[in-house]
């Protein structure tokens, strides 16, 4: 009996708990329905009010005004409208309390009080309590108005100064050099361009990078002095080269040449993907100069040429450095030759088209360049390059002659002169000894080097 009574008591307690819970839910439902109905009325614009007590149309008006006033152009419009309202409203108030003052005179008086206060240049100064009250009210509103104007002007000036300091303004140049990206090789690149521009009296180098102008100017001054720039001006602009709007900051469409550097902080495939996106942005612009892009992986070179539509030259830096290192190891002293020829100090490579050489054999061209050393031909301007071609090859009008000279303006074709080359030195054959090369470190393309 005791066990049965216990079970009965548990069942009654459970039934009672369920009944109480159902009752609480039933009491909450009407309140929830009323709240939902109030919200729907507020959203439908039927004059309903939110739980906070603010009507929908008031909040809607504040939202629209905030949206427009967040833009500088609409802030200017709002200030002009406010000035007109204060002038006309003050003129109406003053002319209503002073029967001797017409509306246009009242508006002029209100304008002078807004601009210069009660002690302004208006002839008929307030003489009784009503007119003085109106004048005082208009003057206080004028002080508040010009405080807002002054605040906006100061903010605009500060924003402009910050934009100039950070390098967000436009570069308006033509025939300049553009460098997209900044790496540890950028300062050396700038130094070489400075040496190249020395014969032309200097030039402009525009650099688009992620860091601010002030920081980059300090880094440049630590590397090269103003005197060593030799008339060349280096302009830094802050932005990303992946956006076409930032490319316009450095006037990439009017540049003589564009250099796209690879991001050394990324993996080779990711860095080449970024370069590919930059080339795609440049391909959609009407460029007046040529583009040179740095590639880290030789397998991606063909894709960049395809996207560049034949207007992009690629430099596989990792592959070229590996080849130069291997050749310098096999031929001691060759690194100094590369450093002298590939840089702009001393003599370097130049290509140019000369109409005087059209129809002339290549063997005779060497006798017509006393101040340069012809070493090859670039066919048709955009064709392939042949170093040391046959002497019986006849130059075409569109062929470019590849020479080693001091500068691009230090040589030109002259009359053919006679010379006695003498006897050629006898060729000494190789010793046939086996080479032993030690590789200290590892490269991902070591198989190609071997």
């Amino acid at each position: 009996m005791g066990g049965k009574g216990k079970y009965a008591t548990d069942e009654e307690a459970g039934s009672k708990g369920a009944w109480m819970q159902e009752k609480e839910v039933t009491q909450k439902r009407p309140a929830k329905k009323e709240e939902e109905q109030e919200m729907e009325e507020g959203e439908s614009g039927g004059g309903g009010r939110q739980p906070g007590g603010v009507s929908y149309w008031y909040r809607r008006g504040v939202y629209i005004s905030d949206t427009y006033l967040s833009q500088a152009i609409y802030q200017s419009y709002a200030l002009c409208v406010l000035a007109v309202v204060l002038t006309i409203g003050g003129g109406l108030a003053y002319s209503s309390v002073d029967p001797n003052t017409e509306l246009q005179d009242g508006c002029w008086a209100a304008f002078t009080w807004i601009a210069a206060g009660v002690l302004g240049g208006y002839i008929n100064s307030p003489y009784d309590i009503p007119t003085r009250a109106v004048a005082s009210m208009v003057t206080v509103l004028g002080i508040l108005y010009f405080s807002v104007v002054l605040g906006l002007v100061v903010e605009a000036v500060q924003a402009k100064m910050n934009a100039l300091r950070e390098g967000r303004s436009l570069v308006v140049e033509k025939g300049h050099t553009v460098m997209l990206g900044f790496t540890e090789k950028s300062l050396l690149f700038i130094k070489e361009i400075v040496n190249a521009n020395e014969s032309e009296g200097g030039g402009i180098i525009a650099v688009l990078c992620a860091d601010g102008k002030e920081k980059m100017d300090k880094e440049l001054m630590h590397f090269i002095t103003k005197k060593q720039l030799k008339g060349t001006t280096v302009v830094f602009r802050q932005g990303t080269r992946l956006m076409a709007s930032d490319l316009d900051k450095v006037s990439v469409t009017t540049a003589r040449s564009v250099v796209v550097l690879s991001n050394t902080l990324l993996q080779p495939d990711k860095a080449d993907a970024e370069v590919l996106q930059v080339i795609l942005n440049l391909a959609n612009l009407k460029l007046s100069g040529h583009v040179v892009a740095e590639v880290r992986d030789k397998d991606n070179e063909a894709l960049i040429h395809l996207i560049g539509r034949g207007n992009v030259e690629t430099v596989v830096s990792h592959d070229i450095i590996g080849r130069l290192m291997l050749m310098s190891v096999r031929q001691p002293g060759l690194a100094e030759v590369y450093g002298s020829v590939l840089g702009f100090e001393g003599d370097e490579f130049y290509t140019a088209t000369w109409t005087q050489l059209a129809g002339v054999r290549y063997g005779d061209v060497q006798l017509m360049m006393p101040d340069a050393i012809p070493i090859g031909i670039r066919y048709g301007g955009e064709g392939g390059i042949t170093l040391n071609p046959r002497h019986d090859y006849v130059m075409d009008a569109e062929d470019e002659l590849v020479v080693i000279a001091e500068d691009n303006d230090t040589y030109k074709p002259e009359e053919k002169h006679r010379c006695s080359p003498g006897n050629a030195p006898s060729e000494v054959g190789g010793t046939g000894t086996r080479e032993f090369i030690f590789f200290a470190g590892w490269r991902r393309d070591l198989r190609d080097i071997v």
Side-chain angles (χ1 to χ4, degrees), residues 194-195 198 221 224-232:
V194 168
N195 294 332
E198 182 180 5
M221 290 297 104
I224 185 172
T225 62
K226 186 176 181 180
K227 184 178 180 180
Q228 293 174 338
L229 289 175
K230 303 174 183 179
T232 298

Side-chain angles (χ1 to χ4, degrees), residues 241-309:
R241 55 185 182 175
L242 301 179
M243 297 182 61
S245 58
D246 288 344
L247 294 177
D248 292 335
K249 290 183 180 180
V250 291
S251 297
V252 70
T253 56
T254 58
R256 178 178 59 184
S257 58
V258 180
V259 179
V260 183
L261 298 179
S262 179
N263 190 351
T264 56
L265 300 178
L266 301 177
Q267 294 294 329
D269 289 338
K270 293 183 179 180
D272 290 346
E274 183 176 320
V275 172
L276 182 64
Q277 187 174 354
V278 176
I279 297 301
L280 183 60
N281 291 336
L282 294 175
N284 295 327
L285 302 175
K286 295 181 179 179
L287 302 180
S288 58
H290 65 281
V291 181
V292 179
E294 179 186 4
V295 184
R296 300 268 296 280
D297 195 338
K298 189 173 180 61
D299 296 336
N300 300 324
E301 186 178 14
L303 181 59
I304 293 180
H305 278 293
L306 178 63
I307 298 299
R309 302 169 187 174

Side-chain angles (χ1 to χ4, degrees), residues 21-35:
Q21 186 176 3
E22 184 178 358
K23 183 178 180 181
E24 291 178 359
V25 173
T26 305
Q27 291 177 353
K28 290 180 180 179
R29 284 178 180 175
K32 186 176 181 180
K33 288 183 178 180
E34 291 178 1
E35 183 178 352

